Amino acid sequence: MTHAGRNDPCPCGSGRKFKHCCAVTPASSTSSLASLENMALQLYARGQIEPAEALCRQLLQMDVKHVQALILLGSMALNAGRFAQAAQWMQQALQGHTPKPGKILLALAMAQQGMGKKELAVDNYLKAIQADADLVDAHFHYAGLMLEQGRMDVAEASYRQILQRQSTHLSAHINLAAVLKRGHRSLEALPYLQKAVDLKPEDAILHRNLGLVCQEQGRLLEAEKSYREALRLCPDDAVAISYLLFCLNYRFDWTPAQRLEEAVYWGRRIIEQVSPPHGFNEMNLYPSRLRVGLVSGDLRRHPVGYFLENLLRSMQHSQLEIFAYYSFDVEDELTKRLRQYCHSWVIIDAMSDEQAAQRIRQDGIHILIDLAGHTPHNRLPLFASRPAPVQITWLGYFATTGLPTMDYILVDKHISPPEEEGHFSEQRFWLPDTYRCFMPPAEDIQVNELPALQSGDLTFGCFNNLSKLNDPVLRLWGQILREMPRARLLLKSWQLGTSAQKDEFMARLTAQGVDSCRVELQASSGYLDYLQSYHEVDIALDPFPYTGGTVSIEGLWMGVPVLTLRGHDMLSRSGENLLQNLNMPEWIAEHEQDYLRRALSWSGRMAELVQLRRNLRHRLLESPLCDGPRFARQWELALCEIWRRFVEKSQRTSPANGEGA
């Protein structure tokens, strides 16, 4: 910037000549310097950046170490995103005499962070805090860098420091809650998210996140209330829609008809947000190989990944080309294995729905399959625009999507009997044996002998999400323990990671008549340790109506039979799917009293349990539940039949046949 001449207009904006306004000479008094500094500060405060910068440079002509001028120039450069320049000004300011360098160090650290020099930034944030512990912004930016480095404990401490000094700091409440939730400490996160909602009640995302934490703690009515408030504030929030519909699956007092009605209502809302579907007039209806797209955020160590691997690795000689569209940013060893089985692998996590849909259309996908339903990281709005002529939902969700553009859902006769109608907006297509096929764990772990032989009585267990353990479930399990005075109950879940969470859940058990002295609560652990925990369990108890899936089949692989309650929809029939395919109908109870009777009956049949435990893994591996090649053939035939139906319908309704499109 050029300096004002004596006869130029004064940069302060007064309209007077510079020599009659802000001009000073080396002989000017200290009071004149102070007046000029004050004028620069006022201009800066009013947003008149260029005049303020000109005055600061004039100050530096008279005093090259004028600290306030250097700070102002650094602040203006920082706000303009000129980080290198800002860092230079702030470093010069630090060389001058300043009794309180905290804010200068803070600005320097922010400039260095903007330049990507994060190690230097961390160092100077800490120096700023040491100089002035009440610098909330220094704590906040430092905590953010600690989050990036995965140092959750340090970030948590910093956010708590902020809230001690400024209890209404919205972002600190939000971020502290996120840190706690990431560490499976949702109970501790709850009050911070609630405070954030109180501070900004019009923020739909805050209500949505509060609902998610409530849901994780089994506070389903509170969660539903938060989701509905989020949707009142933002009716087109597809994420909140999915959160709500997923949460309703845990409600034991809802009927399948109610769930369907709710899903269809919100499915239409999702459809209303997208452009009308494109036509497929130029698509070859008789390709040499069908192109099948899989859309999922769970192509990793996740139940979807575990079930998908056995299918994909068994399709190497298939007539299908598999295109994967991965909607998450986390990859692991399973991700790498799944990728090698696919013809194409596209990461769509950062793509908009429109961009992802365009890519799928460019790839010429014939059948697009959703593997998520309304679970996290789904891309259902993508399906709303129909980027493929045939769209199917399968595997990752136990209920209807409610989307009018979702054509089919893949099921089997056990998970959704043909006579059980009115549960889906999609058309059901039945696979012959099972709608899913499990990939046995690679971990080298053997089935142990029945624990009851050593303990003297049965240990029941459940390793499911605690949100599935509603009051009727706990009451029934409490009755089992009362009828079997020496039996124990082992519960294991990621929601039991802290003593506070264990205490709260133990209070729930006691309220439902469960003897807490005979219950052991364990936190989640690594996968191998999780599997080894089945060495302590004789019989797994399935919750209801939201029954176990992956947890149950992993227990079966470890030799632990599961007692389930016959359901009335797909959500509540997961246990039946497993047990019918193992030819174990005696483990399916008809009603709650029958569940109790069957559980009690095993206390005097130890020899049968011993034999069952020894043979159960082999029985599972020989069943359709683990027969990858068999399942792959059935799955491929199903997709070919679905495509045949589409072609037949297309020809029947084509204009060439005198019918409307």
Side-chain angles (χ1 to χ4, degrees):
M1 176 174 289
T2 58
H3 302 305
R6 287 177 56 77
N7 291 311
D8 292 335
C10 186
C12 76
S14 66
R16 302 166 64 193
K17 288 186 178 182
F18 182 54
K19 66 183 180 182
H20 297 307
C21 188
C22 294
V24 291
T25 66
S28 297
S29 65
T30 303
S31 62
S32 296
L33 281 170
S35 176
L36 190 59
E37 177 186 319
N38 186 56
M39 178 64 72
L41 287 168
Q42 290 180 20
L43 289 170
Y44 177 66
R46 294 201 299 264
Q48 295 178 258
I49 303 302
E50 289 189 11
E53 188 173 340
L55 291 181
C56 287
R57 291 182 183 276
Q58 185 67 32
L59 281 167
L60 291 178
Q61 282 184 344
M62 296 172 290
D63 179 5
V64 72
K65 294 184 179 181
H66 196 287
V67 174
Q68 190 58 55
L70 292 167
I71 292 173
L72 269 178
L73 285 170
S75 298
M76 288 184 278
L78 185 62
N79 292 337
R82 303 193 306 268
F83 300 120
Q85 195 176 54
Q88 182 181 0
W89 289 124
M90 292 304 178
Q91 284 169 335
Q92 291 184 40
L94 285 171
Q95 294 172 8
H97 177 69
T98 173
K100 294 182 179 181
K103 291 184 178 180
I104 304 174
L105 287 162
L106 168 60
L108 174 59
M110 292 172 66
Q112 290 168 331
Q113 184 175 350
M115 295 164 65
K117 299 180 178 180
K118 295 182 179 180
E119 290 185 6
L120 289 175
V122 167
D123 185 51
N124 281 310
Y125 282 134
L126 287 173
K127 288 180 180 178
I129 293 169
Q130 290 169 359
D132 184 355
D134 291 328
L135 274 178
V136 167
D137 285 348
H139 287 285
F140 187 77
H141 289 293
Y142 174 67
L145 287 177
M146 294 300 98
L147 276 181
E148 287 185 18
Q149 296 180 11
R151 299 176 63 183
M152 298 299 160
D153 54 338
V154 180
E156 177 186 343
S158 295
Y159 290 128
R160 293 189 185 278
Q161 287 287 331
I162 293 170
L163 294 176
Q164 285 179 7
R165 292 164 171 79
Q166 190 176 326
S167 62
T168 58
H169 195 293
L170 177 63
S171 295
H173 281 287
I174 294 171
N175 290 2
L176 178 55
V179 169
L180 294 170
K181 184 179 180 300
R182 193 181 302 183
H184 295 163
R185 296 157 62 190
S186 296
L187 183 61
E188 293 177 65
L190 203 53
Y192 296 103
L193 263 180
Q194 184 60 66
K195 180 64 175 180
V197 167
D198 294 341
L199 290 170
K200 197 176 181 183
E202 73 283 1
D203 191 319
I205 294 178
L206 289 180
H207 286 280
R208 188 177 81 191
N209 291 342
L210 176 61
L212 188 59
V213 171
C214 288
Q215 179 179 318
E216 290 177 351
Q217 290 303 308
R219 303 181 183 188
L220 301 180
L221 295 179
E222 295 174 50
E224 181 183 342
K225 180 181 177 181
S226 293
Y227 294 146
R228 293 195 186 279
E229 179 61 16
L231 289 168
R232 185 190 69 79
L233 293 166
C234 185
D236 296 332
D237 183 351
V239 176
I241 289 172
S242 286
Y243 281 4
L244 172 63
L245 293 176
F246 188 81
C247 177
L248 293 176
N249 290 320
Y250 292 110
R251 291 281 301 272
F252 65 87
D253 55 342
W254 269 52
T255 65
Q258 287 176 293
R259 293 194 184 96
L260 175 62
E261 181 181 6
E262 192 85 11
V264 167
Y265 171 79
W266 290 110
R268 288 171 180 159
R269 292 303 300 260
I270 294 174
I271 288 288
E272 291 169 1
Q273 302 173 43
V274 303
S275 303
H278 291 251
F280 300 95
N281 295 331
E282 298 181 1
M283 177 168 281
N284 179 11
L285 298 181
Y286 301 97
S288 58
R289 301 182 74 184
L290 279 178
R291 293 190 167 193
V292 177
L294 305 177
V295 181
S296 175
D298 301 322
L299 306 179
R300 52 194 167 93
R301 288 192 73 110
H302 181 278
V304 168
Y306 299 149
F307 283 99
L308 192 61
E309 184 177 14
N310 210 355
L311 166 68
L312 294 185
R313 75 167 191 167
S314 301
M315 296 186 63
Q316 298 310 293
H317 303 291
S318 166
Q319 291 304 302
L320 306 180
E321 290 184 348
I322 302 299
F323 289 66
Y325 301 96
Y326 189 33
S327 60
F328 197 38
D329 60 356
V330 172
E331 297 192 2
D332 54 28
E333 295 78 12
L334 182 52
T335 308
K336 295 174 184 176
R337 293 201 302 272
L338 294 175
R339 184 189 285 117
Q340 71 182 3
Y341 301 133
C342 297
H343 177 82
S344 171
W345 186 282
V346 181
I347 299 174
I348 62 170
D349 177 57
M351 293 185 188
S352 68
D353 292 323
E354 294 76 12
Q355 291 170 330
Q358 180 62 28
R359 174 59 192 261
I360 291 168
R361 282 190 288 268
Q362 289 174 353
D363 288 341
I365 298 301
H366 300 98
I367 299 176
L368 190 65
I369 303 180
D370 157 57
L371 300 179
H374 286 287
T375 62
H377 314 299
N378 78 71
R379 296 299 293 267
L380 288 179
L382 168 66
F383 286 80
S385 65
R386 190 178 282 282
V390 176
Q391 301 190 149
I392 298 172
T393 186
W394 169 64
L395 187 61
Y397 191 55
F398 291 99
T400 182
T401 64
L403 278 183
T405 54
M406 197 69 76
D407 304 303
Y408 290 91
I409 181 169
L410 299 183
V411 296
D412 62 52
K413 62 185 178 182
H414 307 301
I415 201 81
S416 182
E419 65 274 12
E420 200 170 74
E421 299 180 345
H423 296 176
F424 303 96
S425 60
E426 304 87 357
Q427 182 177 345
R428 290 179 290 174
F429 191 98
W430 287 272
L431 293 171
D433 301 313
T434 173
Y435 81 104
R436 56 187 171 180
C437 185
F438 184 63
M439 181 70 179
E443 279 71 11
D444 183 16
I445 179 171
Q446 299 303 311
V447 175
N448 68 328
E449 284 294 331
L450 191 74
L453 295 178
Q454 197 167 34
S455 66
D457 214 326
L458 295 178
T459 297
F460 296 99
C462 179
F463 297 173
N464 278 276
N465 187 320
L466 292 189
S467 299
K468 296 182 179 183
L469 309 191
N470 54 59
D471 290 349
V473 167
L474 297 182
R475 281 197 296 270
L476 181 57
W477 292 357
Q479 192 172 354
I480 292 173
L481 293 184
R482 286 194 297 275
E483 297 285 343
M484 300 176 65
R486 297 178 59 196
R488 295 173 57 250
L489 176 62
L490 171 60
L491 302 178
K492 188 180 184 74
S493 171
W494 61 267
Q495 293 137 308
L496 297 170
T498 67
S499 57
Q501 289 171 310
K502 289 180 179 179
D503 290 344
E504 181 175 86
F505 192 76
M506 196 65 83
R508 273 196 64 203
L509 290 168
T510 302
Q512 297 304 321
V514 181
D515 183 357
S516 60
C517 295
R518 294 160 61 200
V519 178
E520 181 180 353
L521 303 181
Q522 292 185 4
S524 62
S525 51
Y527 192 58
L528 179 60
D529 182 69
Y530 155 77
L531 292 174
Q532 288 174 332
S533 295
Y534 281 108
H535 285 166
E536 304 175 55
V537 179
D538 297 292
I539 295 174
L541 297 178
D542 209 7
F544 53 85
Y546 201 152
T547 51
T550 309
V551 168
S552 295
I553 199 167
E554 286 167 337
L556 292 165
W557 188 76
M558 291 301 300
V560 180
V562 57
L563 176 62
T564 194
L565 180 65
R566 188 178 301 282
H568 51 266
D569 59 4
M570 187 177 185
L571 181 76
S572 56
R573 289 186 182 276
S574 178
E576 291 177 64
N577 158 264
L578 302 177
L579 294 168
Q580 291 289 9
N581 272 282
L582 291 169
N583 194 25
M584 295 171 61
E586 68 275 15
W587 289 89
I588 304 172
E590 298 298 327
H591 45 73
E592 290 186 28
Q593 283 304 307
D594 189 36
Y595 190 107
L596 173 64
R597 181 188 65 79
R598 290 174 188 263
L600 299 180
S601 71
W602 287 104
S603 63
R605 301 160 64 187
M606 293 294 179
E608 292 179 58
L609 281 177
V610 167
Q611 193 62 30
L612 179 60
R613 191 179 188 92
R614 291 173 179 172
N615 297 330
L616 193 47
R617 179 178 291 186
H618 177 75
R619 192 169 181 173
L620 174 66
L621 293 174
E622 294 298 312
S623 77
L625 293 169
C626 292
D627 191 339
R630 173 176 174 161
F631 182 78
R633 290 192 299 271
Q634 295 174 346
W635 194 78
E636 181 176 348
L637 288 172
L639 297 193
C640 290
E641 171 60 19
I642 288 173
W643 182 253
R644 186 197 66 77
R645 293 182 186 182
F646 167 75
V647 171
E648 183 180 284
K649 181 179 178 182
S650 299
Q651 292 177 332
R652 192 169 58 246
T653 60
S654 67
N657 290 331
E659 300 181 24

